Amino acid sequence: MNILLIGCGKMGGAMLRQWASHGAHSFTVADPAANDLPNGVAHVSKATDLPSQEFDLILIAIKPQMIADVLPGYAHALKAGGIFVSIAAGTSVGSLAKVVGDAAIARVMPNMGALVGMGVSGLYANDQCTPEQTRDVVALIDQTGTCIAVESEDQIDRLTAVSGSGPGYIFEILRSYVTAAEALGFDHATARKLVFDTVTGTVEAARQSELTLEELRNSVTSKNGTTQAGLSELMRDGALDALFHSTVQAAYARAGELK
């Protein structure tokens, strides 16, 4: 596909680097501040600098508040049968349609894992999108990690609460865990290594196992041992479950408010 990327900030740039490494598509970036672009990526600073060629896909990666002012200048560059794809957080398909009209539009919610090719993205495609277009966009986003197609924008909001905002939750958990390790006397660098490697190894072991998470937890918990002592505090009164439930519910509610 011939793809126009409008905006090349942290997320757009991270996804572009993954796509460019695969070399399957051609890209033009439209961003006055873009620099250090991957080799082979074309660049324009404004809409009037665009070549006459038409694009198969226009990817919207600018701030939501910029869409109404910026997108119309580029929308004409979409070829007949093309698709708009937006990674603008909190911007509904309906809001985009008010700008570009009756068109094939897909909304994608990526997350920070795209920086290292391990992103988790959700995708919702409107009724104007053909199955082939949806398949092509899913394949494109899969190059940044994993893409999960959902059937409604409400499901995008729910996914946002889990994976879109999830890196923030995990960073805070890691920060707290590292701080606790330091309180036991480890220096900061050692505490980080202990925590990060423990988490990475545990996640990979869970990914490769056919056991449930409860079974895995029990398999490393000896009766009256150290792990059981720690888990008794972590799971006291169901507070951890309640905290995660309220965390994702709050994020889901906010995602709905932002549309």
Side-chain angles (χ1 to χ4, degrees), residues 85-259:
V85 178
S86 171
I87 65 168
T91 303
S92 69
V93 166
S95 296
L96 292 166
K98 290 178 181 178
V99 178
V100 301
D102 186 25
I105 303 171
R107 179 182 168 198
V108 174
M109 180 66 225
N111 74 2
M112 191 178 179
L115 289 167
V116 291
M118 297 179 67
V120 181
S121 300
L123 178 146
Y124 167 71
N126 70 355
D127 292 339
Q128 283 71 29
C129 294
T130 67
E132 292 76 18
Q133 286 175 319
T134 302
R135 181 197 63 217
D136 288 345
V137 176
V138 168
L140 177 70
I141 304 302
D142 267 340
Q143 292 180 0
T144 70
T146 300
C147 183
I148 299 171
V150 300
E151 297 180 355
S152 71
E153 286 201 89
D154 179 67
Q155 288 181 305
I156 284 285
D157 292 341
R158 294 171 188 270
L159 182 142
T160 297
V162 176
S163 59
S165 298
Y169 316 152
I170 301 303
F171 284 136
E172 179 58 17
I173 290 167
L174 291 173
R175 183 205 60 78
S176 183
Y177 199 176
V178 168
T179 299
E182 290 175 322
L184 286 176
F186 294 103
D187 62 73
H188 183 66
T190 302
R192 278 174 58 98
K193 181 168 180 57
L194 286 171
V195 170
F196 290 7
D197 290 359
T198 296
V199 170
T200 300
T202 302
V203 168
E204 192 55 37
R207 192 192 304 276
Q208 296 183 25
S209 177
E210 295 182 358
L211 298 177
T212 67
L213 294 174
E214 291 80 6
E215 289 169 335
L216 287 168
R217 178 200 63 204
N218 293 340
S219 73
V220 298
T221 306
S222 300
K223 186 176 180 179
N224 296 322
T226 58
T227 305
Q228 185 177 66
L231 284 171
S232 293
E233 290 299 313
L234 189 63
M235 301 165 65
R236 183 190 295 273
D237 300 324
L240 184 63
D241 283 348
L243 181 59
F244 266 102
H245 180 82
S246 61
T247 296
V248 297
Q249 287 293 329
Y252 169 54
R254 183 58 178 155
E257 293 169 356
L258 290 173
K259 285 191 296 187

Side-chain angles (χ1 to χ4, degrees), residues 23-36:
H25 307 287
S26 60
F27 289 89
T28 298
V29 168
D31 187 329
N35 53 58
D36 195 27

Side-chain angles (χ1 to χ4, degrees), residues 48-73:
T48 53
D49 292 337
L50 275 179
S52 58
Q53 66 192 32
E54 295 179 319
F55 294 90
D56 302 292
L57 185 153
I58 293 180
L59 198 144
I60 305 158
I62 51 179
K63 290 181 165 70
Q65 60 268 28
M66 298 172 62
I67 289 174
D69 292 330
V70 174
L71 183 55

